[in-house]
């Protein structure tokens, strides 16, 4: 497993960054590429907490600037019906503290703002 990457940020796209470390460019899916430094002055060093997801037809890295965001992502994956894409979508429209408040106050409407997350899934997250 790859739990942490520190290296040069080479590119940012919608939902994806590329980090070069040791001559290897790691593609990392992130909720908000804008939270990482800008590339205006060339490559910059970044640190990303990651988790690797292995499926039949795919191996992907998901990364977060804070370890607490990674832990929340992993908790979301434990909810029935919430996969990596849905969890990433939720964290892309809500910060971890806002999501925690939405769960605490059972604010289903806030959670359903995430693309691909319906009312039933939001209710399961709150439970």
């Amino acid at each position: 497993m790859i739990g942490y990457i520190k290296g040069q940020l080479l590119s940012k796209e919608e939902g994806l960054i590329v980090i070069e470390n040791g001559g290897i460019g790691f593609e990392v899916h992130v909720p908000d590429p804008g939270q990482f430094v800008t590339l205006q002055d060339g490559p910059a060093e970044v640190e990303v907490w990651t988790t690797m997801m292995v499926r039949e037809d795919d191996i992907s890295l998901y990364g977060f600037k804070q370890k607490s965001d990674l832990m929340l992502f992993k908790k979301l994956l434990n909810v029935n019906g919430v996969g990596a894409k849905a969890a990433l979508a939720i964290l892309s429209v809500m910060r971890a503290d806002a999501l925690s408040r939405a769960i605490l106050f059972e604010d289903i409407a806030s959670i359903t703002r995430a693309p691909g997350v319906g009312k039933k899934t939001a209710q399961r997250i709150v439970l």
Side-chain angles (χ1 to χ4, degrees):
M1 292 302 233
I2 300 172
Y4 177 82
I5 300 173
K6 182 177 183 178
Q8 298 294 311
L9 179 64
L10 297 181
S11 71
K12 292 193 301 188
E13 300 172 23
E14 183 66 32
L16 183 76
I17 61 174
V18 177
I19 302 171
E20 188 272 328
N21 180 300
I24 300 171
F26 293 94
E27 285 187 354
V28 182
H29 298 274
V30 294
D32 178 18
Q35 71 182 338
F36 296 94
V37 297
T38 63
L39 293 171
Q40 295 171 348
D41 300 326
E45 187 166 280
V46 294
E47 300 174 350
V48 182
W49 291 94
T50 64
T51 187
M52 187 182 340
M53 306 289 282
V54 179
R55 305 281 183 238
E56 274 185 31
D57 60 345
D58 184 43
I59 299 175
S60 296
L61 283 173
Y62 293 87
F64 303 88
K65 196 165 181 86
Q66 304 293 326
K67 189 172 184 178
S68 59
D69 293 342
L70 171 63
M71 301 312 290
L72 185 55
F73 176 78
K74 288 181 175 182
K75 284 183 182 180
L76 284 171
L77 293 176
N78 289 327
V79 175
N80 187 24
V82 177
K85 288 183 182 181
L88 202 61
I90 292 168
L91 292 173
S92 70
V93 297
M94 302 180 79
R95 297 266 184 233
D97 58 338
L99 178 57
S100 297
R101 278 194 304 276
I103 292 169
L104 180 66
F105 295 112
E106 299 182 7
D107 184 5
I108 292 168
S110 293
I111 300 170
T112 57
R113 288 189 345 228
V117 178
K119 185 177 178 180
K120 287 184 181 181
T121 302
Q123 288 172 334
R124 281 190 225 117
I125 291 169
V126 167
L127 285 177

